[in-house]
Amino acid sequence: PPLGLRLVLATFALAAEPLVAATEAPIDFNRDIRPILADACYHCHGPDAAQRKAKLRLDEREGLFRTRNEVTVVAPGHPETSELILRLAATDPEEVMPPPDSARQLTSAEKALLKRWVAAGAVWGGHWAFTPPVRPAVPKVTQPALAPRVRNSIDAFVFDRLAREGLAPS
């Protein structure tokens, strides 16, 4: 294929892969946390009042950070006192969440991510559809051989990613 098409294909291929290992990337509520909660928790603790258990809504900020009867669902910066984290780590079938008979169980990586999120301050993010987009800064291409080939900002993003991956353009 022509160079332009190869660059477009490379851009899509690079965008599909994570930029940094999950343990190194900053945790984003909408990208990392909301999907876990939606998949494993919202069935019983989501918007459907008829299905809701324990009068707890985890799909709203107020429910996720509430304190009732001296029990805090998520205490930002304190996973050791956050009921969400304590329930995920529980071994008693009466206490553990999701319940053992639930169709969806969290992986150890998902549990660790939720714990890291709480420890890091549990930053809430409104739904992505209501968040205005922010234009990322165009990366500086520092490789002398590639700098002259940068004709627009897309080239800068592609060449920057290739350099971070230790790859050279074809």
Side-chain angles (χ1 to χ4, degrees), residues 131-157:
T131 304
V134 177
R135 185 177 298 274
V138 177
K140 301 278 188 224
V141 177
T142 57
Q143 293 178 322
L146 294 180
R149 295 177 66 181
V150 176
R151 294 187 186 111
N152 57 48
S153 57
I154 294 173
D155 291 343
F157 282 103

Side-chain angles (χ1 to χ4, degrees), residues 84-143:
L84 176 78
I85 303 304
L86 297 173
R87 291 292 187 112
L88 292 175
T91 56
D92 181 351
E94 297 293 321
E95 296 290 321
V96 69
M97 287 292 149
D101 62 348
S102 174
R104 173 66 167 98
Q105 296 297 316
L106 275 72
T107 66
S108 57
E110 289 171 327
K111 291 177 184 180
L113 184 61
L114 287 166
K115 186 174 182 177
R116 266 187 52 225
W117 172 69
V118 173
V123 177
W124 170 267
H127 192 279
W128 65 266
F130 303 111
T131 304
V134 177
R135 185 177 298 274
V138 177
K140 301 278 188 224
V141 177
T142 57
Q143 293 178 322

